[in-house]
Amino acid sequence: MSADTARTASNSFTATRLPRLIELYTALGALAVSGIVIALIGWTTTGFLVLAAALYLMLTGVVSGVVENRRKAVDRLVRGLVTVAFLLALAPLVSTLYEVIVRGWQALDWNFIFTTGGTIIDPATMKITNTIGAWQAVIGTLEITGMATLISVPIGILTAVFLVEYSPPGHWMSRTVTFLVDVMTGIPSIVAGLFAFALFTLVVGPKAFSGFSASIALCVLMIPTVVRSSEEMLKLVSPELREASYALGVTKFTTIVRIVLRTAIAGLITGVMLAIARVIGETAPIFIAASFTNNFNGDLFSGAMQTLPVMAYTGYKFPSSDIPASLQSAWGAALLLVILVVILNLIARLIAWAFKPKGLQ
Amino acid sequence: MSKRIEVNDLNVYYDKFLAVEGVSIEIEPRSVTAFIGPSGCGKSTFLRTLNRMHEVIPGAHVTGHVFIDGDDLYAPGVDPVLVRREVGMVFQRANPFPTMSVRDNVLAGVKLNNVRLPKRDADDLVEKSLVNANLWNEVKDRLGAPGSSLSGGQQQRLCIARAIAVQPDVLLMDEPCSALDPISTLAIEDLIHELKSEYTIVIVTHNMQQATRVSDKTAFFNIAGTGKPGHLIEFDDTTTIFSNPKVKATEDYVSGRFG
């Protein structure tokens, strides 16, 4: 016992250290000081937080530099900076979610989801009835995005299979495809919408609004995302598994379908779901290609179609005579869209978990 | 079941690079042949030409002939898929299919080739292959467990069971024990001894003790320098190669003077 204490006392490896919770104390101190200062010169929340962050960074740096050493001071400073950056990145996300939930919550109930909303003018009495509802937009969003997925996923995954399994590395064909996919990734969504609208105007004639043409616009945005993520997933499948399969006398086609795609399926599904989440909230291309409507239109191939993001936009920008109701249903549509994306993500995770190769802890 | 391999003046290329030059060798049925030699001398490359697995690497091709019981593997119109059903292969690293159970891994060769087996026959095949691979007693209670949940040595024996479940004539093994501990290595060497009665076995190994323990004949490959092609230097009974080699380079290698 005495030998142990003697050893600790003369240990040359010890260095002065600040108490364990010093960061918490510093943060509380910075908040308090900043609160007082800002309250004296006029309260702003942003100013309060910015000043607190700056004070905290200075305090930790100086205190640690004086009590500890330079290396630890830099460590604490950088750790503080990274935390501030993280909170800064989180702020818009949390604030958006908060706003959407708080404002959309009042609009949201089963009636809102399952009623076709809109403005009806009775020609006899000229009486205007406003109904609040998003059913036509829910159906439109699901149909347009579903069709886009149906077209993009086979094209995207087959392209990825071609790039990874069939084309020799560095072949001109694969380089061209990769280049085009990269270019497509950068296409602004409004251009995709114009492309689809122009295409359908050429094919069908003027006023060619249809959900299907919006699906085509979304495909342009979705295919490169699907190709890219699927390509990465297929590359992750170990070449040893392919060799093992070939060595059993299995054909290349069967190897790709039953071994490569089967092993990568969890990642493929996640990639597809991310692509869906990416396009489901697109407004501009759908607005151009499918226009908007207050009528229920379940036919993908003819007539204007309403979707949730477009409903949020038009409800806000071109409100009906009952302005508060329009605004509220716009927020409701926005919240509904967020919920839809969350549900899709959850489903994707469930599927990915179910298909994940087992026993790879 | 077991077949004779005859190789005539085989050159192996990666694109224009000549990796192995002028190999001629005769491998008897029901025997174990070991390929030894320093790293990069082309023994694995040569092994992979015996079931046309080298073609998986883009740009790889050969000139010359490999006969398996008189059938030329490199004759025009030969389907590599059919070749690989007759000549099985076990790799350096165990590679069970991660999405399949132990049972499905054994049946993979059969199922992936779309052969329909009645359940009873499938069960028999699984048991027979796993018994032959000395793995049955360890996994018989967890045939439904994922293949990748087994230990490294068990996984390698599972891969051997998978390879012999398609009933090949020849079994090629590319350093099957290099990633295993001595006990698993011993289990696999015992297995090679047992499989010898039914299969022609060719094994690449870096472990010369292993070559002396398992093989009847040994082939020594060497390379003159980096960028030069590998050659078959000497091929003889294992005892001769290790006790009384005819070529100086073989003696230097097996006595540990280089490599």
Coordinates of all heavy atoms in Angstrom, one line a residue, chain A residues 82-159:
Chain A
V82 N -15.4 21.6 -33.5 CA -16.1 20.6 -34.2 C -17.5 20.4 -33.6 O -18.5 20.3 -34.4 CB -15.4 19.2 -34.0 CG1 -16.2 18.1 -34.6 CG2 -14.0 19.3 -34.7
T83 N -17.7 20.6 -32.3 CA -19.0 20.5 -31.7 C -19.9 21.6 -32.2 O -21.0 21.4 -32.5 CB -18.9 20.5 -30.2 OG1 -17.9 19.6 -29.8 CG2 -20.2 20.1 -29.5
V84 N -19.3 22.8 -32.2 CA -20.1 24.0 -32.7 C -20.5 23.8 -34.1 O -21.6 24.1 -34.5 CB -19.2 25.3 -32.5 CG1 -19.9 26.4 -33.3 CG2 -19.1 25.6 -31.0
A85 N -19.6 23.3 -34.9 CA -19.9 23.1 -36.3 C -21.0 22.1 -36.5 O -22.0 22.2 -37.3 CB -18.7 22.5 -37.1
F86 N -21.0 21.0 -35.6 CA -22.0 20.0 -35.6 C -23.4 20.6 -35.3 O -24.4 20.4 -35.9 CB -21.7 18.9 -34.7 CG -22.8 18.0 -34.3 CD1 -23.3 17.1 -35.2 CD2 -23.4 18.0 -33.0 CE1 -24.3 16.2 -34.9 CE2 -24.4 17.2 -32.7 CZ -24.9 16.3 -33.7
L87 N -23.4 21.4 -34.2 CA -24.6 22.1 -33.8 C -25.2 23.0 -34.9 O -26.4 23.1 -35.1 CB -24.4 22.8 -32.5 CG -24.1 21.9 -31.3 CD1 -23.8 22.8 -30.0 CD2 -25.3 21.0 -31.0
L88 N -24.2 23.7 -35.5 CA -24.6 24.6 -36.6 C -25.3 23.9 -37.7 O -26.2 24.4 -38.3 CB -23.3 25.3 -37.1 CG -23.4 26.8 -37.5 CD1 -24.0 27.6 -36.3 CD2 -22.1 27.3 -37.9
A89 N -24.7 22.7 -38.0 CA -25.3 21.9 -39.1 C -26.6 21.4 -38.8 O -27.5 21.2 -39.6 CB -24.3 20.8 -39.5
L90 N -26.8 21.1 -37.5 CA -28.0 20.5 -37.0 C -29.2 21.6 -36.9 O -30.3 21.2 -37.1 CB -27.8 19.9 -35.6 CG -28.6 18.7 -35.2 CD1 -28.2 17.6 -36.2 CD2 -28.2 18.3 -33.8
A91 N -28.8 22.8 -36.7 CA -29.8 23.9 -36.5 C -30.8 24.0 -37.6 O -32.0 23.9 -37.2 CB -29.1 25.2 -36.2
P92 N -30.4 24.1 -38.8 CA -31.5 24.2 -39.9 C -32.4 23.0 -39.9 O -33.6 23.2 -40.1 CB -30.7 24.4 -41.2 CG -29.3 24.1 -40.9 CD -29.1 24.2 -39.4
L93 N -31.8 21.8 -39.7 CA -32.6 20.6 -39.8 C -33.7 20.6 -38.7 O -34.9 20.4 -38.9 CB -31.7 19.4 -39.7 CG -32.4 18.1 -39.7 CD1 -33.0 17.8 -41.0 CD2 -31.5 17.0 -39.2
V94 N -33.2 20.9 -37.5 CA -34.1 20.8 -36.3 C -35.2 21.9 -36.5 O -36.4 21.7 -36.3 CB -33.4 21.0 -35.0 CG1 -34.3 21.1 -33.8 CG2 -32.5 19.8 -34.8
S95 N -34.7 23.1 -36.9 CA -35.6 24.2 -37.0 C -36.7 24.0 -38.0 O -37.9 24.3 -37.8 CB -34.8 25.5 -37.2 OG -35.4 26.3 -38.2
T96 N -36.3 23.4 -39.2 CA -37.3 23.1 -40.2 C -38.3 22.1 -39.7 O -39.5 22.3 -39.9 CB -36.6 22.5 -41.5 OG1 -35.5 23.4 -41.8 CG2 -37.5 22.4 -42.7
L97 N -37.8 21.0 -39.2 CA -38.7 20.0 -38.7 C -39.7 20.5 -37.7 O -40.9 20.3 -37.7 CB -37.9 18.9 -38.0 CG -37.5 17.7 -38.9 CD1 -36.8 16.6 -38.1 CD2 -38.8 17.0 -39.4
Y98 N -39.1 21.3 -36.7 CA -40.0 21.9 -35.7 C -41.1 22.7 -36.3 O -42.2 22.6 -36.0 CB -39.1 22.8 -34.8 CG -39.8 23.6 -33.7 CD1 -40.3 22.9 -32.6 CD2 -40.1 24.9 -33.9 CE1 -41.0 23.7 -31.6 CE2 -40.8 25.6 -33.0 CZ -41.2 25.0 -31.8 OH -41.9 25.7 -30.9
E99 N -40.7 23.6 -37.3 CA -41.6 24.5 -37.9 C -42.7 23.7 -38.6 O -43.9 24.0 -38.5 CB -40.9 25.4 -38.9 CG -41.6 26.7 -39.2 CD -41.5 27.7 -38.1 OE1 -40.8 27.4 -37.1 OE2 -42.2 28.7 -38.2
V100 N -42.3 22.7 -39.4 CA -43.2 21.9 -40.2 C -44.2 21.2 -39.2 O -45.4 21.1 -39.5 CB -42.5 20.9 -41.1 CG1 -43.5 19.9 -41.7 CG2 -41.8 21.7 -42.2
I101 N -43.6 20.6 -38.2 CA -44.5 19.8 -37.3 C -45.5 20.7 -36.5 O -46.7 20.5 -36.5 CB -43.7 19.0 -36.3 CG1 -42.9 17.9 -37.0 CG2 -44.5 18.5 -35.2 CD1 -41.9 17.2 -36.2
V102 N -45.0 21.9 -36.0 CA -45.9 22.8 -35.2 C -47.0 23.3 -36.1 O -48.1 23.3 -35.7 CB -45.0 23.9 -34.6 CG1 -45.9 25.0 -34.1 CG2 -44.2 23.3 -33.5
R103 N -46.6 23.8 -37.3 CA -47.6 24.4 -38.2 C -48.5 23.4 -38.9 O -49.7 23.7 -39.1 CB -46.9 25.3 -39.2 CG -46.1 26.3 -38.6 CD -46.3 27.6 -39.3 NE -45.3 28.6 -39.0 CZ -45.3 29.8 -39.6 NH1 -46.2 30.1 -40.5 NH2 -44.4 30.7 -39.2
G104 N -47.9 22.3 -39.2 CA -48.7 21.3 -40.0 C -49.6 20.4 -39.1 O -50.6 19.9 -39.6
W105 N -49.2 20.4 -37.8 CA -49.9 19.5 -36.9 C -51.4 19.8 -36.9 O -52.2 18.9 -36.9 CB -49.3 19.6 -35.5 CG -49.8 18.5 -34.6 CD1 -50.6 18.7 -33.5 CD2 -49.5 17.1 -34.8 NE1 -50.8 17.5 -33.0 CE2 -50.2 16.5 -33.7 CE3 -48.8 16.4 -35.7 CZ2 -50.2 15.1 -33.5 CZ3 -48.8 15.0 -35.5 CH2 -49.4 14.4 -34.5
Q106 N -51.8 21.1 -36.9 CA -53.2 21.5 -36.7 C -54.0 21.0 -37.9 O -55.2 20.7 -37.8 CB -53.3 23.0 -36.6 CG -52.6 23.5 -35.4 CD -51.9 24.8 -35.7 OE1 -52.1 25.5 -36.7 NE2 -51.0 25.2 -34.8
A107 N -53.3 21.0 -39.1 CA -54.1 20.6 -40.3 C -54.3 19.1 -40.4 O -55.2 18.6 -41.0 CB -53.3 21.1 -41.6
L108 N -53.4 18.4 -39.8 CA -53.3 17.0 -40.0 C -54.3 16.2 -39.2 O -54.2 16.2 -38.0 CB -51.9 16.5 -39.7 CG -51.4 15.2 -40.5 CD1 -51.4 15.5 -41.9 CD2 -50.1 14.8 -39.9
D109 N -55.2 15.5 -39.9 CA -56.0 14.5 -39.2 C -56.4 13.5 -40.4 O -56.1 13.7 -41.5 CB -57.2 15.1 -38.5 CG -58.1 15.9 -39.4 OD1 -58.0 15.7 -40.6 OD2 -58.8 16.8 -38.9
W110 N -57.2 12.5 -40.0 CA -57.5 11.5 -41.0 C -58.3 12.1 -42.2 O -58.2 11.7 -43.3 CB -58.3 10.3 -40.4 CG -57.4 9.5 -39.5 CD1 -57.6 9.4 -38.1 CD2 -56.2 8.8 -39.8 NE1 -56.6 8.7 -37.6 CE2 -55.7 8.3 -38.6 CE3 -55.5 8.6 -41.0 CZ2 -54.5 7.5 -38.5 CZ3 -54.3 7.8 -40.9 CH2 -53.9 7.3 -39.7
N111 N -59.2 13.1 -41.8 CA -60.0 13.7 -42.8 C -59.1 14.4 -43.8 O -59.4 14.4 -45.0 CB -60.9 14.8 -42.1 CG -62.3 14.2 -42.0 OD1 -62.7 13.3 -42.7 ND2 -63.1 14.8 -41.1
F112 N -58.1 15.1 -43.3 CA -57.2 15.8 -44.2 C -56.6 14.9 -45.2 O -56.4 15.2 -46.4 CB -56.2 16.6 -43.4 CG -55.2 17.3 -44.2 CD1 -55.5 18.5 -44.9 CD2 -53.9 16.9 -44.3 CE1 -54.6 19.2 -45.6 CE2 -52.9 17.6 -45.1 CZ -53.3 18.8 -45.7
I113 N -56.2 13.7 -44.7 CA -55.5 12.8 -45.6 C -56.4 12.2 -46.6 O -56.1 12.0 -47.8 CB -54.8 11.7 -44.8 CG1 -53.8 12.3 -43.8 CG2 -54.1 10.7 -45.7 CD1 -53.1 11.3 -42.9
F114 N -57.6 11.8 -46.2 CA -58.5 11.0 -47.0 C -59.6 11.8 -47.7 O -60.5 11.2 -48.4 CB -59.1 9.9 -46.3 CG -58.1 8.9 -45.9 CD1 -57.7 8.7 -44.6 CD2 -57.4 8.1 -46.9 CE1 -56.7 7.8 -44.2 CE2 -56.5 7.2 -46.5 CZ -56.1 7.0 -45.2
T115 N -59.6 13.2 -47.7 CA -60.6 14.0 -48.4 C -59.9 14.6 -49.6 O -58.8 15.1 -49.5 CB -61.2 15.1 -47.5 OG1 -61.3 14.5 -46.2 CG2 -62.4 15.6 -48.0
T116 N -60.6 14.7 -50.7 CA -60.1 15.5 -51.8 C -60.5 16.9 -51.5 O -61.7 17.3 -51.4 CB -60.8 15.0 -53.1 OG1 -60.6 13.6 -53.2 CG2 -60.2 15.7 -54.3
G117 N -59.5 17.7 -51.5 CA -59.7 19.1 -51.1 C -59.8 20.0 -52.4 O -59.6 19.6 -53.5
G118 N -60.2 21.3 -52.2 CA -60.3 22.2 -53.3 C -61.4 23.2 -53.2 O -62.1 23.2 -52.1
T119 N -61.5 24.0 -54.2 CA -62.5 25.1 -54.2 C -63.5 24.7 -55.3 O -63.2 24.4 -56.4 CB -61.8 26.4 -54.6 OG1 -60.7 26.5 -53.8 CG2 -62.8 27.5 -54.3
I120 N -64.8 24.7 -54.9 CA -65.8 24.5 -55.8 C -66.8 25.7 -55.9 O -67.2 26.2 -54.9 CB -66.7 23.2 -55.4 CG1 -65.8 22.0 -55.3 CG2 -67.8 23.0 -56.4 CD1 -66.3 20.9 -54.5
I121 N -67.0 26.1 -57.1 CA -67.9 27.2 -57.3 C -69.2 26.7 -57.9 O -69.2 26.0 -58.9 CB -67.3 28.3 -58.3 CG1 -66.0 28.7 -57.8 CG2 -68.3 29.5 -58.4 CD1 -65.3 29.7 -58.8
D122 N -70.3 26.9 -57.1 CA -71.6 26.5 -57.6 C -72.1 27.5 -58.7 O -72.3 28.7 -58.3 CB -72.6 26.4 -56.5 CG -73.9 25.8 -56.9 OD1 -74.2 25.8 -58.1 OD2 -74.6 25.2 -56.0
P123 N -72.2 27.2 -60.0 CA -72.5 28.2 -61.0 C -73.9 28.8 -60.8 O -74.1 30.0 -61.2 CB -72.5 27.4 -62.3 CG -72.4 25.9 -61.9 CD -72.0 25.8 -60.5
A124 N -74.8 28.1 -60.1 CA -76.1 28.7 -60.0 C -76.1 29.8 -58.9 O -76.6 30.9 -59.2 CB -77.1 27.6 -59.5
T125 N -75.5 29.6 -57.8 CA -75.6 30.6 -56.7 C -74.3 31.4 -56.6 O -74.2 32.3 -55.8 CB -75.8 29.8 -55.4 OG1 -74.7 28.9 -55.2 CG2 -77.1 29.1 -55.3
M126 N -73.2 31.0 -57.4 CA -71.9 31.6 -57.3 C -71.3 31.5 -55.9 O -70.5 32.2 -55.5 CB -72.0 33.1 -57.7 CG -72.2 33.3 -59.2 SD -71.1 32.5 -60.2 CE -69.7 33.5 -60.2
K127 N -71.8 30.5 -55.2 CA -71.3 30.3 -53.8 C -70.0 29.4 -53.9 O -69.9 28.5 -54.6 CB -72.4 29.5 -53.0 CG -72.0 29.5 -51.5 CD -73.2 28.9 -50.7 CE -72.9 28.7 -49.3 NZ -71.8 27.9 -49.0
I128 N -69.0 29.8 -53.2 CA -67.7 29.1 -53.2 C -67.6 28.3 -52.0 O -67.8 28.7 -50.8 CB -66.5 30.2 -53.2 CG1 -66.6 31.0 -54.5 CG2 -65.2 29.4 -53.2 CD1 -65.7 32.1 -54.6
T129 N -67.3 27.0 -52.2 CA -67.1 26.1 -51.1 C -65.6 25.7 -51.1 O -65.1 25.2 -52.1 CB -67.9 24.8 -51.2 OG1 -68.8 24.9 -52.3 CG2 -68.7 24.6 -49.9
N130 N -65.0 25.8 -49.9 CA -63.6 25.4 -49.8 C -63.6 24.1 -49.0 O -64.1 24.1 -47.9 CB -62.7 26.4 -49.1 CG -62.3 27.5 -50.0 OD1 -61.9 27.3 -51.1 ND2 -62.5 28.8 -49.6
T131 N -63.0 23.1 -49.5 CA -62.8 21.8 -48.8 C -61.3 21.7 -48.5 O -60.5 21.9 -49.4 CB -63.3 20.6 -49.6 OG1 -64.3 21.0 -50.5 CG2 -63.8 19.5 -48.7
I132 N -61.0 21.3 -47.3 CA -59.6 21.1 -47.0 C -59.3 19.6 -47.1 O -60.0 18.7 -46.5 CB -59.3 21.6 -45.6 CG1 -59.3 23.1 -45.6 CG2 -57.9 21.1 -45.2 CD1 -59.0 23.7 -44.3
G133 N -58.3 19.2 -47.9 CA -58.0 17.8 -48.0 C -56.8 17.6 -48.9 O -56.5 18.5 -49.7
A134 N -56.1 16.5 -48.7 CA -54.9 16.3 -49.5 C -54.9 15.0 -50.2 O -53.9 14.5 -50.7 CB -53.7 16.4 -48.6
W135 N -56.1 14.3 -50.3 CA -56.1 13.0 -50.8 C -55.6 12.9 -52.2 O -54.8 12.0 -52.6 CB -57.6 12.5 -50.7 CG -57.8 11.0 -51.2 CD1 -58.6 10.6 -52.2 CD2 -57.1 9.9 -50.8 NE1 -58.6 9.3 -52.4 CE2 -57.6 8.8 -51.5 CE3 -56.1 9.6 -49.9 CZ2 -57.1 7.5 -51.4 CZ3 -55.6 8.3 -49.7 CH2 -56.1 7.3 -50.4
Q136 N -56.0 13.9 -53.1 CA -55.5 13.9 -54.5 C -54.0 14.0 -54.6 O -53.4 13.4 -55.4 CB -56.3 15.0 -55.3 CG -55.8 16.4 -55.1 CD -56.4 17.1 -53.9 OE1 -56.6 16.4 -52.9 NE2 -56.6 18.4 -54.0
A137 N -53.4 14.8 -53.6 CA -52.0 15.0 -53.6 C -51.3 13.7 -53.2 O -50.2 13.4 -53.7 CB -51.6 16.2 -52.8
V138 N -51.8 13.1 -52.1 CA -51.2 11.9 -51.6 C -51.1 10.8 -52.7 O -50.1 10.2 -53.0 CB -52.0 11.3 -50.4 CG1 -51.4 10.0 -50.0 CG2 -51.9 12.3 -49.2
I139 N -52.3 10.6 -53.4 CA -52.4 9.6 -54.5 C -51.4 10.0 -55.6 O -50.7 9.2 -56.1 CB -53.8 9.5 -55.0 CG1 -54.7 8.9 -54.0 CG2 -53.9 8.7 -56.3 CD1 -54.3 7.5 -53.6
G140 N -51.4 11.3 -56.0 CA -50.5 11.8 -57.0 C -49.1 11.5 -56.7 O -48.3 11.0 -57.5
T141 N -48.7 11.9 -55.5 CA -47.3 11.7 -55.1 C -46.9 10.2 -55.2 O -45.9 9.9 -55.7 CB -47.0 12.2 -53.7 OG1 -47.1 13.6 -53.7 CG2 -45.7 11.8 -53.2
L142 N -47.8 9.4 -54.6 CA -47.5 7.9 -54.6 C -47.4 7.4 -56.0 O -46.5 6.6 -56.3 CB -48.5 7.2 -53.8 CG -48.4 7.4 -52.3 CD1 -49.5 6.7 -51.5 CD2 -47.1 7.0 -51.7
E143 N -48.3 7.8 -56.9 CA -48.4 7.2 -58.2 C -47.2 7.7 -59.0 O -46.5 6.9 -59.7 CB -49.7 7.6 -58.9 CG -50.8 6.7 -58.6 CD -52.1 7.0 -59.4 OE1 -52.0 7.7 -60.4 OE2 -53.1 6.5 -59.0
I144 N -46.9 9.0 -59.0 CA -45.8 9.6 -59.8 C -44.5 9.0 -59.3 O -43.7 8.5 -60.1 CB -45.8 11.1 -59.7 CG1 -47.0 11.6 -60.5 CG2 -44.5 11.7 -60.3 CD1 -47.2 13.1 -60.4
T145 N -44.2 9.0 -58.0 CA -43.0 8.5 -57.5 C -42.9 7.0 -57.7 O -41.8 6.5 -58.1 CB -42.8 8.8 -56.0 OG1 -43.3 10.1 -55.7 CG2 -41.4 8.7 -55.5
G146 N -44.0 6.3 -57.5 CA -44.0 4.8 -57.8 C -43.6 4.5 -59.2 O -42.8 3.6 -59.4
M147 N -44.2 5.2 -60.1 CA -43.9 4.9 -61.6 C -42.5 5.3 -61.9 O -41.8 4.5 -62.5 CB -44.9 5.8 -62.4 CG -44.6 5.6 -63.9 SD -44.7 3.9 -64.5 CE -46.4 3.6 -64.8
A148 N -42.0 6.4 -61.3 CA -40.6 6.8 -61.5 C -39.7 5.7 -61.0 O -38.7 5.3 -61.6 CB -40.3 8.1 -60.8
T149 N -40.0 5.1 -59.8 CA -39.2 4.1 -59.2 C -39.2 2.8 -60.1 O -38.2 2.2 -60.3 CB -39.7 3.7 -57.8 OG1 -39.9 4.9 -57.1 CG2 -38.8 2.8 -57.1
L150 N -40.4 2.5 -60.6 CA -40.6 1.3 -61.4 C -39.7 1.4 -62.6 O -39.2 0.4 -63.1 CB -42.1 1.2 -61.8 CG -42.7 -0.1 -61.7 CD1 -42.6 -0.6 -60.2 CD2 -44.2 -0.1 -62.1
I151 N -39.6 2.6 -63.2 CA -38.8 2.7 -64.4 C -37.3 2.8 -64.1 O -36.4 2.2 -64.7 CB -39.2 4.0 -65.2 CG1 -40.7 3.8 -65.6 CG2 -38.3 4.1 -66.4 CD1 -41.2 5.1 -66.2
S152 N -37.0 3.6 -63.0 CA -35.5 3.9 -62.7 C -34.8 2.7 -62.2 O -33.6 2.5 -62.5 CB -35.4 5.0 -61.8 OG -36.2 6.1 -62.1
V153 N -35.4 2.0 -61.3 CA -34.7 0.9 -60.6 C -34.2 -0.2 -61.5 O -33.0 -0.5 -61.4 CB -35.6 0.3 -59.4 CG1 -35.0 -0.9 -58.8 CG2 -35.7 1.4 -58.3
P154 N -35.0 -0.7 -62.4 CA -34.4 -1.7 -63.3 C -33.3 -1.1 -64.2 O -32.2 -1.7 -64.3 CB -35.6 -2.2 -64.2 CG -36.8 -1.8 -63.4 CD -36.4 -0.6 -62.6
I155 N -33.5 0.1 -64.7 CA -32.5 0.7 -65.6 C -31.2 0.9 -64.8 O -30.1 0.6 -65.2 CB -33.0 2.0 -66.2 CG1 -34.2 1.7 -67.1 CG2 -31.9 2.7 -66.9 CD1 -34.8 3.0 -67.8
G156 N -31.4 1.5 -63.6 CA -30.3 1.8 -62.8 C -29.5 0.6 -62.3 O -28.2 0.6 -62.5
I157 N -30.2 -0.4 -61.8 CA -29.5 -1.6 -61.3 C -28.8 -2.4 -62.5 O -27.7 -2.8 -62.4 CB -30.4 -2.5 -60.5 CG1 -30.7 -1.8 -59.2 CG2 -29.8 -3.8 -60.2 CD1 -31.6 -2.6 -58.2
L158 N -29.5 -2.5 -63.6 CA -28.9 -3.2 -64.8 C -27.7 -2.4 -65.3 O -26.7 -3.1 -65.6 CB -30.0 -3.4 -65.9 CG -31.1 -4.4 -65.5 CD1 -32.1 -4.5 -66.7 CD2 -30.5 -5.8 -65.3
T159 N -27.8 -1.1 -65.3 CA -26.6 -0.3 -65.7 C -25.4 -0.6 -64.7 O -24.3 -0.8 -65.2 CB -26.9 1.2 -65.7 OG1 -28.1 1.4 -66.4 CG2 -25.7 2.0 -66.3

